[in-house]
Amino acid sequence: MAVPQHDVADLGLAQAGVRRVEWAERAMPVLRRVRDRFAEERPLEGLRIAACMHVTAETANILRALRAGGAEIALAASNPLSTQDDTAAALVAEYGIAVYARAGIDAAAYDRNLATVLEHRPHMLLDDGCDLVNIAHLERPELLDETIGGCEQTTTGVIRLHRMSAEGALKLPMVAVNDTATKRMFDNRYGTGQSTIDGIMRATNAMLAGRTVVVAGFGYCGRGLAERARGMGARVIVTEVDPVKALDAAMQGYTVLPMDEAAQVGDVLVTATGNRDVIRLEHIASLKDGAVLANSGHFDVEIDLPALESLAVEIRREVRPQADEYVLADGRRIVLLAEGRLVNLGAAEGHPAAVMDMSFSVQALTVAWLAEHHATLVPDVLDVPVGIDTEVARLELEALGIDIDRLTPDQEDYLNSWRA
Ligand code: NAD
Ligand code: ADE
């Protein structure tokens, strides 16, 4: 059967999508430079890329850069709720990308779209959550002979890749873009912090000042989220399983509690752990009337949704866009945002373009590096080459008009000598 050229909701939305993509582009100066360089040097000429990424205006801009470098690209969504239908239309109609993504698709369509991008016989896989790599290995292993490697964008995806590698199942060199300093420190922290609050606000219009916000997980994302919630005037409670992270949260002045206790007092509870069942039956049973539940971790497993459904005597869908209300037997109402999926992408637009500028510049440069060096690489989880991260940070500072000091020769000598 012939591979469909695209599957998007409405190509008539393309011009609205172009406006959105161009608006994002304004805040992505480093990626613009990468695109200009790629257009001149064409480092990706003839390379077929299959991508599983959130279909947003920011993603459109990295794909434009890769396309300028000569790549042919097929894109599926990395989450059923995060697709911007206008951006998807613009990618097809204006930017020459084969997109298979519509907002609000079900699990079967999600899987089908991943299978379809693999029909393009990719040389490279760009993944956000490891679903594409997973099905390529499990369902289309014959394609891996032609595949030279790929990139993984998020913490949960990198964890899954390490598990594959430990079991000898990983057949490709996969670069952990997530693990760079610029990604974790800025995207996971400030990006997730701001956009998660944005998602909660858009879905509820709730007042955060003076309310109690529970943040589960004090990793890169959780820390960013706690900082932003505190900045909004919320009383922030952190839950953790790692003693060091919990201590860090305590020393930053947050109240640290087990979820059993936090659940009883939280007005808004947000998970950002990458783990399952963080808010589960016993916690849900003790929530306050009106409590809001949201998740910003990669998969919709952090809030135990079957438990929530089992406790509900009535479910009121869409009391507001991206907010469902679950009524418990004693009349308490629990509000679940974005179906328990990534709230920042399901109920808002994901991270601001200015922060994706760094993550996606690193990723675009890593793609070019992979294309050049793949013959020397072995199947494993690899770090982004030293230098790309620092170079992107330097360009970002330049774009922001921020100058910094440089080491003097004496300082360099001093740092390089153990005799001094
Ligand atoms: P991280 O490893 O830095 O932090 C996760 C933290 O959760 C750790 O400190 C861990 O100890 C803690 N944790 C694990 N299980 C827990 C539990 N049961 N209760 C409380 N804490 C628990 O990871 P990260 O980079 O912060 O990413 C977290 C999740 O967010 C991942 O799924 C990642 O893929 C996802 N992510 C989402 C976005 C977004 O746009 N929403 C952006 C980046 C990452
Ligand atoms: N992940 C988080 N925010 C994103 C965005 N705006 N675009 C693509 N992926 C993202």
Side-chain angles (χ1 to χ4, degrees):
M1 206 172 67
V3 185
Q5 284 178 334
H6 57 79
D7 182 12
V8 298
D10 180 2
L11 283 180
L13 299 173
Q15 282 317 306
V18 169
R19 286 194 292 278
R20 199 201 272 257
V21 172
E22 289 181 353
W23 175 258
E25 181 195 5
R26 291 191 203 183
M28 305 182 93
V30 181
L31 195 56
R32 279 202 308 271
R33 282 172 72 154
V34 172
R35 191 175 81 211
D36 291 346
R37 208 188 90 195
F38 279 9
E40 232 174 88
E41 297 173 4
R42 303 283 288 177
L44 311 178
E45 197 69 69
L47 192 83
R48 289 190 301 273
I49 294 178
C52 169
M53 300 167 81
H54 299 294
V55 183
T56 65
E58 294 71 33
T59 297
N61 278 301
I62 182 182
L63 299 187
R64 288 172 73 196
L66 300 178
R67 188 101 181 89
E72 281 172 42
I73 304 163
L75 170 69
S78 58
N79 185 287
L81 285 188
S82 60
T83 298
Q84 298 165 358
D85 284 327
D86 54 357
T87 299
L91 279 165
V92 171
E94 298 288 330
Y95 303 122
I97 314 282
V99 182
Y100 306 88
R102 295 164 182 249
I105 50 172
D106 61 19
Y110 177 84
D111 288 345
R112 219 171 27 248
N113 290 340
L114 292 184
T116 306
V117 295
L118 291 177
E119 292 297 334
H120 287 253
R121 294 191 298 108
H123 301 115
M124 203 180 281
L125 304 178
L126 302 189
D127 218 345
D128 187 335
C130 199
D131 281 346
L132 187 61
V133 169
N134 203 296
I135 73 156
H137 280 71
L138 293 175
E139 291 170 23
R140 299 298 306 274
E142 78 283 3
L143 292 179
L144 301 178
D145 294 340
E146 270 193 287
T147 313
I148 61 174
C151 295
E152 172 51 56
Q153 174 75 6
T154 198
T155 313
T156 285
V158 172
I159 291 170
R160 293 174 89 189
L161 286 175
H162 279 300
R163 296 316 314 151
M164 289 177 78
S165 177
E167 288 178 25
L170 183 64
K171 304 294 180 217
L172 299 173
M174 287 295 300
V175 183
V177 172
N178 178 74
D179 293 358
T180 57
T182 46
K183 168 70 169 59
R184 284 173 164 162
M185 283 171 67
F186 307 117
D187 170 319
N188 294 19
R189 185 175 177 182
Y190 298 105
T192 310
Q194 176 169 320
S195 61
T196 299
I197 298 286
D198 184 15
I200 294 167
M201 303 309 299
R202 291 194 203 195
T204 62
N205 199 23
M207 180 81 171
L208 291 187
R211 307 300 193 274
T212 299
V213 172
V214 177
V215 175
F218 200 67
Y220 289 95
C221 294
R223 170 187 306 226
L225 177 53
E227 284 164 345
R228 291 297 166 265
R230 177 143 80 179
M232 299 285 287
R235 272 191 298 274
V236 179
I237 296 175
V238 169
T239 74
E240 250 298 344
V241 290
D242 178 329
V244 177
K245 303 274 178 58
L247 194 58
D248 186 13
M251 293 224 180
Q252 290 189 40
Y254 298 105
T255 302
V256 178
L257 290 175
M259 185 57 84
D260 284 350
E261 291 173 42
Q264 297 175 33
V265 292
D267 296 299
V268 178
L269 298 92
V270 197
T271 51
T273 69
N275 206 347
R276 61 177 297 172
D277 303 336
V278 177
I279 299 180
R280 49 185 181 270
L281 193 121
E282 63 266 33
H283 307 132
I284 297 167
S286 69
L287 290 170
K288 295 196 324 193
D289 180 33
V292 172
L293 297 181
N295 165 51
S296 214
H298 188 77
F299 285 116
D300 60 344
V301 296
E302 306 213 7
I303 300 166
D304 184 348
L305 301 173
L308 179 59
E309 279 176 21
S310 74
L311 285 175
V313 293
E314 187 191 349
I315 302 175
R316 299 178 185 145
R317 298 283 176 204
E318 294 240 68
V319 286
R320 281 174 60 92
Q322 297 304 338
D324 294 330
E325 190 166 75
Y326 291 71
V327 185
L328 308 190
D330 62 2
R332 273 178 298 149
R333 295 155 301 172
I334 310 302
V335 180
L336 176 71
L337 304 188
E339 302 169 20
R341 300 186 189 277
L342 292 160
V343 69
N344 61 329
L345 284 139
E349 295 172 71
H351 302 353
V355 84
M356 296 312 293
D357 191 32
M358 279 181 277
S359 312
F360 281 162
S361 296
V362 168
Q363 180 149 336
L365 293 172
T366 302
V367 168
W369 175 84
L370 262 174
E372 191 182 344
H373 295 280
H374 67 90
T376 62
L377 305 175
V378 291
D380 205 348
V381 187
L382 309 177
D383 285 334
V384 168
V386 180
I388 289 185
D389 209 20
T390 336
E391 177 64 1
V392 167
R394 195 184 62 73
L395 291 173
E396 199 67 41
L397 280 173
E398 204 176 291
L400 290 169
I402 298 173
D403 202 5
I404 59 169
D405 288 325
R406 280 156 196 77
L407 291 173
T408 65
D410 283 351
Q411 285 173 333
E412 277 197 41
D413 285 350
Y414 177 76
L415 293 174
N416 287 327
S417 158
W418 59 272
R419 292 176 195 280

